[in-house]
Amino acid sequence: MKRFLTSTYMDDSKKSRSVSTAIDLAQVTIDDPGQFDDARAPTTEADGFEGIKHSSINLSNHYLFDGKFYDIVSNIGTKLIAKCVLCQKTLQGRNNSSGNFLSHLKLKHASILSKLEKYKNEKKNAKKSNQSSRDVSLASMFQPKLQLSPSKSLSKCHIINLVFDYIVQEMRPIITCEKPAFRQLIMGLTGISDTSFLPDSKVISKELKLRYMSYVTMLTKCISEQSFICTTADIWSCNNKSYLGMTCHFINEKDFNRHSYVLGCKRIKGSHTYLNIAEVINKITKIFNINSSKISHCVTDNASNFGKAFRTFSIQPQSNSSNSNNLTNNWFCSDNDESSNEENNLEVDDTYENIDITELSTIFSNPDLINSSDNEDEFCLPDHLTCSAHTLSLIATTDVNKIEDNSYKQISKPVFEKLYSFWNLVSRSSVASDKIFDICNCKFPVPIITRWNSLFFAVKKVLTHKDQLLNAFEELKLKKLKISEWKFLEEYCLVMEPLALALDKLQGEQSCFLGFVAPTIIALRLKLIQLTHLIYCKKLAHLLIVSLEKRFIYLFDLEHPKSKAFILASISHPKFKLSWAPVRYLSLCKKLFISECEILNSIESTTSGFNNSDDETDGSDSEFYQILNENTCFEESTEFSRSVKSNNISSVQALSYLEYKKKDFDILNNFPVVKKVFLKYNTTLPSSAPVERLFSSGIQILTPRRNRLHDKTFEMLLCCRCLNLKE
C-alpha cells in the first residue's frame, strides 16, 4: 500500500509543478495495479521532484484513456476522474494506477474484453514500431556515411592499379581478380555496376609486364648514377626447381641510408656447377647494364661452387694510376720472395685441381660444349666476398660438433638428447603442447637445422622456464635434467650468447656495413677469452676461440692480403675509426688508410684534369700552339707539384678525421676524401642475408598449388613486389 501514499501538505505552486513534471516524464504503460511498483519517480529534490513519490501515467497514449473506452473528466494531483464511454458512468481513481477502471470493464462490460485485449496489443505494437523508427533515425544521425561517386573519383585505370597492387603485395595468384567473391567485393566497395571496370587476368598480366619494364628502367638509371654497388647471390630450391637470386645495395651519398633492390631470381637448370652459376649471374647483370668494375663485392655463402665461379671469372679492376697499382699491389707483399711465390703456387695448384677433364670425342659429338667454352670468355664477375654470418654459423655447428673432449661429450650429449625429445614431443603432439602451455603459459620454439641461432634461443627459453618445466617433464613422462645438466645449459648460453649477438649484428641490412666485421669478430674473441670461471664449457669456449682465429685469420693477422678491405671499411666508418685495431697494427692501419685516401684523391684529380684538357681545345689554333705544351720538363714538374699538393690535402683530411671525436655520419661531409673511402668499402654488406629474405618472399609466391607458374612471371612478381614496398 506504500505506493498509494501521497503527501498531503503541499502548497498550490508546488502541487502544480510536481503534477506537470510527473505527467511529462512518466512514459509507462499501465495494465494493472501491480505493474507500477518499479515505475517510481525519485524522491529527492536533487533529482527534480519535491513531493511526488510515484510516477504518473502518460494518459494521452494509454489505451484506456485515449477516448475509446474512457474520457478524462479531470486530472488534479494524483486524483483522476474519467467517464466510461459505454455506460457513461463516472469513475474515480488515481493517475498512477488503472486497476479501478479495469475492474469496471471486467464486471460491467465483460463482452468487450477480447476487443480490449486486441486494442491493447495494437497500441503496444505501434509503440514498438515508433520506437524502432526513432532509433533508426537517431543512428542515421550519428553513423558516418560513405559518399561514393564512381564516375568522378574512380576510373578504370585507378581500379586496375589498386587490384594489381593488392595481388602483388599480398602475393596472391593473378587469377584472384576473376574470382566472383573478389569482384563482388570491389563492386560493393566502389559502388560500380559496370563489370567492364574490373580487370581480368590478361589485363593484370599485361600490367605486370609494364611494371617490370618500368622497374628495370628505373633501377638501371639508379645504378648508373651510383659510384659503387654491392650484390648478394644465392641458390634456392623449391618444388623441384632451382633459382639463383640476386639483390643489389648502395648507399645514398647525402643521408648515408642504404637502399636495396631485387636484381632477379632466374631459374638455374641442371647441376649447380660454377659454369651455370657464372652464366646466370652474367645474364642478370646484363639486364641492368651493370659493369663488374662498379660492383665492390658480390657476397655469397661459403659454398665451393660459388668460390670456383668467382676464382675462375673474377677480374680485378685496374686502377687509372700506376702509382696506385704499385701501392695497392705491394702493400702486403713480404720482403721474402719465397713466401710470395709459395702463395702464388698454392693458388695455381688450387686452380689446377678445379680443372674439368673431358675427352675430345665428347666435345666434337656435342656442339653445345664448344659454344659453352666460347661463352666462358664473355663472363666477367666482380670481386667475391664470403658471408661472415655464414662463417660464424659454421663455427657454431660444424666446428662445435668436432669437440673430442670426453668430459664435455659425457654431459652435453645426454642434455641435448633430453631437450630434443622434449622439442619433438611438443612440436608433434597437440596434447603435449596444450599441457605445456597450461603449465608454462607460453610456446617453446623448436630449433631449425639451417638456423643455428634458433638452437641458442630455444635453449635460452628452456632456461627461463626452468621451474615450470620440472613439473612439465614429470607430467609428460620425460627424462628430467639433473642439477649438473641445468648448470651446463647455463654455461652453454653464457658462452654462446656473444656469438649469437655477433651473428645478429652481421645479418643486418640497413644499419650494418662491412666495417662492422673486424670490430665484431675481435670483440667476440675478447669476450670469449674473459670467460675464465667455467666448469663444463671450458673446452667449448676454447674451441670457439681457435675456430675464430682459423676462419677469420685475415682479421687477426692484419698483414694478410685479404685484410685490406676490412681494415679500410672499419677505419672509414665514423663509429670505429682506429679504436678496434690491435696496438701492434696501429701504425700499419694508419698508413694504409692515408695511402688509400691519397690514391682515391689522385685518381679523381687526374680524371678531372683530363676533362679540362678536352674542353680547352679550340680547333686550328691548337696545332700552332701545341709546341708550347711539348716541354716535358715543365709537364713533369707541374704533374709532380699537383700530385704532392693532392697527397698533402688527402693526408691532412685523413689525419683530421682520425682525431675528430664525433662519431656521426655527418662528419664525413667535412672530409670528402674519407667519404669516398667509406663509400668504396662500406657499400659492401657483411652477409648474404638479404637474398635469403628474398627467398622467404618467394616461397609465399611459389606455393605447391602454383608449381606451374612460369619462371619469368615468378621473377617479375618478386621484382614488382620490391618496387611496391619501396613506394
Side-chain angles (χ1 to χ4, degrees), residues 46 214 282 347 350 562 681 702:
S214 64
N282 196 54
E347 292 180 359
D350 184 51
K562 195 178 177 181
Y681 291 97
L702 201 63

Side-chain angles (χ1 to χ4, degrees), residues 8-203:
T8 57
Y9 295 96
M10 279 189 190
D11 55 6
D12 295 336
S13 60
K14 284 188 176 181
K15 185 181 294 185
S16 60
R17 185 169 66 251
S18 62
V19 170
S20 61
T21 305
I23 293 174
D24 293 335
L25 295 179
Q27 302 290 334
V28 183
T29 304
I30 303 173
D31 291 337
D32 53 61
Q35 76 177 31
F36 298 99
D37 291 348
D38 297 329
R40 292 172 185 151
T43 60
T44 62
E45 294 185 2
D47 292 330
F49 299 93
E50 298 174 356
I52 298 178
K53 302 282 186 179
H54 314 289
S55 61
S56 59
I57 308 170
N58 187 1
L59 300 176
S60 60
N61 293 327
H62 199 273
Y63 71 100
L64 287 177
F65 306 103
D66 61 352
K68 190 174 181 65
F69 298 100
Y70 286 97
D71 290 331
I72 297 175
V73 177
S74 65
N75 184 16
I76 301 174
T78 59
K79 185 177 181 180
L80 177 63
I81 300 175
K83 183 188 289 187
C84 179
V85 176
L86 300 176
C87 63
Q88 299 299 317
K89 183 178 180 180
T90 302
L91 300 174
Q92 293 184 1
R94 310 184 78 81
N95 59 9
N96 57 3
S97 176
S98 61
N100 193 23
F101 303 99
L102 282 174
S103 299
H104 171 74
L105 294 178
K106 292 178 181 179
L107 293 174
K108 301 295 182 180
H109 310 286
S111 60
I112 66 167
L113 290 179
S114 60
K115 184 179 179 181
L116 177 67
E117 185 69 22
K118 183 178 180 182
Y119 185 69
K120 172 189 170 183
N121 294 332
E122 290 177 358
K123 292 281 287 187
K124 188 175 181 179
N125 294 332
K127 185 178 180 180
K128 287 184 178 180
S129 62
N130 292 334
Q131 183 68 24
S132 61
S133 62
R134 186 174 64 179
D135 293 341
V136 171
S137 62
L138 289 174
S140 62
M141 289 174 61
F142 295 102
Q143 186 175 358
K145 294 182 179 180
L146 182 63
Q147 301 293 335
L148 293 175
S149 55
S151 60
K152 295 182 180 179
S153 60
L154 293 177
S155 62
K156 185 175 181 179
C157 182
H158 185 59
I159 294 176
I160 292 174
N161 292 334
L162 292 175
V163 173
F164 179 82
D165 292 339
Y166 166 76
I167 289 175
V168 171
Q169 291 182 17
E170 296 299 322
M171 293 172 284
R172 307 299 302 169
I174 296 178
I175 199 64
T176 303
C177 62
E178 296 184 0
K179 298 288 185 181
F182 181 79
R183 296 171 73 89
Q184 185 178 359
L185 174 66
I186 299 300
M187 295 176 68
L189 291 177
T190 57
I192 61 176
S193 57
D194 188 4
T195 56
S196 62
F197 277 80
L198 302 179
D200 56 6
S201 57
K202 293 183 179 179
V203 175

